Amino acid sequence: MRGGSSGRTDSTLRPALEHLVKGIVEHPDEVRVRFVDARRGARLEVRVHPDDLGTVIGRGGRTARALRQVIGSVGGKGMRVDIVDAY
């Protein structure tokens, strides 16, 4: 998602992912989603309150996998979703 499509990605996918994550955590005011367009490709970094990290990852990574699948289907196969544990 390089070039002209990164603006669409930031304005569309970032708020969508933020909305999804805020709906499942106990501290929605502390959810941060950042768009990063790096050499290795575009990605969305999700940061949550430390108490919500397990909720966002889910049992066996199921919730994280589901979030990645939804964003990947909307944003294309090149879009990565990273859940960052450093708050």
Side-chain angles (χ1 to χ4, degrees):
M1 309 283 322
R2 291 198 161 294
S5 62
S6 66
R8 180 190 155 277
T9 300
D10 190 32
S11 66
T12 306
L13 294 180
R14 191 184 58 74
L17 180 58
E18 189 172 314
H19 178 74
L20 289 171
V21 174
K22 282 183 176 186
I24 62 172
V25 298
E26 293 200 23
H27 303 92
D29 294 339
E30 297 194 35
V31 171
R32 301 288 180 262
V33 178
R34 183 174 77 130
F35 175 76
V36 179
D37 194 7
R39 286 175 48 183
R40 292 181 49 201
R43 71 180 187 272
L44 291 167
E45 288 184 349
V46 178
R47 293 179 192 270
V48 296
H49 188 277
D51 293 344
D52 291 326
L53 191 58
T55 302
V56 175
I57 293 172
R59 183 168 296 176
R62 289 182 186 166
T63 305
R65 198 171 318 122
L67 290 168
R68 288 180 178 116
Q69 187 171 13
V70 168
I71 295 301
S73 66
V74 174
K77 299 217 185 272
M79 179 55 59
R80 287 185 6 222
V81 175
D82 292 339
I83 299 165
V84 182
D85 60 353
Y87 187 66

